[in-house]
């Protein structure tokens, strides 16, 4: 049976992300060997996680990550995590039945050429979905992005984390100053660097047939009230928004002077 194409629904059409994956940690449940030693999903039956044992023994590869997320769709023998990470049912630990809405921890690999994301091992959370150490001290935070320097994201003027290509693909956009994010995290002792276990926009909406009402340099507005910047905007290949264009857009809560929303992607409906 032919498997579906591994294409991330949130990547848009502006092309794959090709940033370096050299960091050992990043958003949405990404961690390296040191953080995963002894980690198990509570209540999971079957053998211990082979992949995590390999990580603990130093077998970490730069294009692999541990991802915590939600199963968003399922077929007879496959599924998707966060609409972006493909997995076959054969890689689910304990051969448990996976349903839409299940919380999972997955070992994810990124294809070095296509940049598609595929889970090679999936662990389903059961019960109260708590994890063993070191994940048992996870905290929750809704915070405003205070600064962005390349792939380093600063939040609440207090913490920061690294955003690599897998993180960005699953989140669906590059955070920008003013964006509000919901974060599950743990803090490295004595450091402002945080380990992010889950990351999403605090508020995210789809907007249909909005009008580009102004553009100055690389910043503009939709309907006179929704901010966007060409430095952080997904568009179809070859398309650049101009004043008067009618577009469909995805917007996220982003607080700045006079504006409360930022467009993170847009595609033309018609050009006036």
């Amino acid at each position: 049976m032919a498997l579906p194409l591994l294409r991330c629904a949130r990547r848009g059409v502006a092309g794959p992300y090709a940033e370096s994956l050299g960091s050992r940690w990043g958003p949405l449940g990404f961690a390296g060997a040191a953080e995963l030693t002894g980690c198990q999903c509570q209540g999971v039956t079957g053998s211990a996680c082979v992949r995590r044992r390999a990580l603990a023994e130093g077998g970490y590869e730069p294009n692999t990550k541990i991802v915590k997320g939600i199963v968003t769709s399922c077929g007879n023998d496959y599924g998707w995590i966060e609409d972006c990470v493909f997995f076959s049912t054969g890689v689910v630990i304990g051969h448990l039945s996976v349903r839409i809405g299940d919380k999972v921890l997955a070992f994810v690999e990124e294809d070095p050429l296509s940049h598609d994301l595929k889970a090679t091992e999936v662990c389903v959370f059961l019960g109260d979905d708590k994890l063993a150490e070191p994940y048992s001290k996870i905290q929750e935070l809704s915070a405003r992005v205070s600064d962005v320097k390349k792939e380093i994201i600063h939040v609440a003027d207090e913490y920061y984390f690294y955003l690599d290509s897998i993180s960005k693909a699953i989140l669906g956009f590059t955070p920008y100053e003013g964006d509000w994010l919901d974060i599950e995290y743990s803090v490295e002792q004595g450091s402002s660097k945080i380990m992010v276990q889950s990351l999403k926009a605090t508020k995210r909406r789809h907007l249909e047939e909005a009008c580009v009402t102004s553009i100055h340099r690389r910043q503009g507005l939709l309907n006179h009230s929704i901010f966007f910047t060409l430095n952080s905007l997904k568009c179809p290949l070859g398309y650049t928004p101009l004043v008067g264009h009618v577009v469909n857009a995805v917007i996220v809560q982003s607080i700045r002077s006079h504006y409360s929303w930022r467009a993170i992607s847009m595609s033309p409906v018609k050009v006036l």
Side-chain angles (χ1 to χ4, degrees):
M1 174 181 176
L3 295 178
L5 292 176
L6 304 183
R7 291 296 176 191
C8 175
R10 296 187 185 178
R11 287 179 189 263
V13 290
Y17 300 106
E19 288 80 6
S20 169
L21 301 177
S23 172
R24 58 187 271 276
W25 63 277
L28 201 65
F30 301 150
E35 288 77 23
L36 291 165
T37 304
C39 174
Q40 296 180 20
C41 297
Q42 188 176 32
V44 171
T45 60
S47 62
C49 178
V50 176
R51 289 290 188 180
R52 263 164 272 150
R53 287 206 308 268
L55 289 177
E57 293 167 0
Y60 184 66
E61 298 177 359
N63 65 332
T64 59
K65 297 289 178 182
I66 300 297
V67 173
K68 178 185 176 184
I70 303 295
V71 175
T72 49
S73 63
C74 290
N76 292 331
D77 57 359
Y78 67 90
W80 292 88
I81 301 168
E82 301 294 349
D83 294 324
C84 195
V85 180
F86 172 84
F87 69 91
S88 64
T89 54
V91 303
V92 179
I93 296 176
H95 303 289
L96 298 175
S97 176
V98 180
R99 297 172 295 179
I100 294 175
D102 282 350
K103 296 180 180 180
V104 296
L105 194 68
F107 189 96
V108 176
E109 296 181 351
E110 182 183 41
D111 186 282
L113 298 179
S114 67
H115 302 284
D116 293 327
L117 307 181
K118 181 178 181 179
T120 57
E121 190 168 75
V122 176
C123 179
V124 182
F125 286 85
L126 299 178
D128 59 8
D129 73 72
K130 291 183 178 179
L131 291 173
E133 293 286 355
Y135 290 124
S136 60
K137 297 181 180 180
I138 291 175
Q139 304 175 59
E140 296 182 357
L141 172 70
S142 290
R144 179 179 178 272
V145 174
S146 54
D147 191 27
V148 178
K149 294 180 179 178
K150 294 185 178 180
E151 284 77 34
I152 305 299
I153 311 299
H154 295 257
V155 294
D157 294 314
E158 185 175 1
Y159 301 120
Y160 71 91
F161 58 87
Y162 176 81
L163 187 74
D164 61 35
S165 63
I166 296 181
S167 313
K168 191 185 300 183
I170 298 177
L171 179 61
F173 63 97
T174 301
Y176 193 77
E177 183 177 348
D179 293 354
W180 274 83
L181 302 174
D182 288 348
I183 308 170
E184 293 181 14
Y185 72 99
S186 57
V187 184
E188 295 188 2
Q189 187 173 4
S191 173
S192 58
K193 181 171 64 176
I194 62 176
M195 289 288 300
V196 178
Q197 314 304 329
S198 178
L199 178 67
K200 65 179 181 178
T202 299
K203 293 183 179 180
R204 180 186 183 114
R205 296 179 182 174
H206 292 268
L207 187 65
E208 295 186 356
E209 297 191 355
C211 182
V212 179
T213 50
S214 67
I215 295 179
H216 178 66
R217 294 182 179 176
R218 297 189 61 79
Q219 298 183 352
L221 295 177
L222 295 178
N223 295 346
H224 302 286
S225 61
I226 299 168
F227 171 83
F228 69 86
T229 171
L230 298 178
N231 295 329
S232 182
L233 182 70
K234 293 181 185 177
C235 294
L237 185 63
Y239 172 70
T240 300
L242 297 175
V243 173
H245 286 191
V246 176
V247 300
N248 293 333
V250 176
I251 62 176
V252 296
Q253 185 180 28
S254 185
I255 306 301
R256 63 193 65 250
S257 298
H258 310 298
Y259 309 113
S260 300
W261 295 89
R262 179 174 76 88
I264 60 174
S265 69
M266 64 176 66
S267 57
V269 177
K270 58 182 177 180
V271 178
L272 299 180

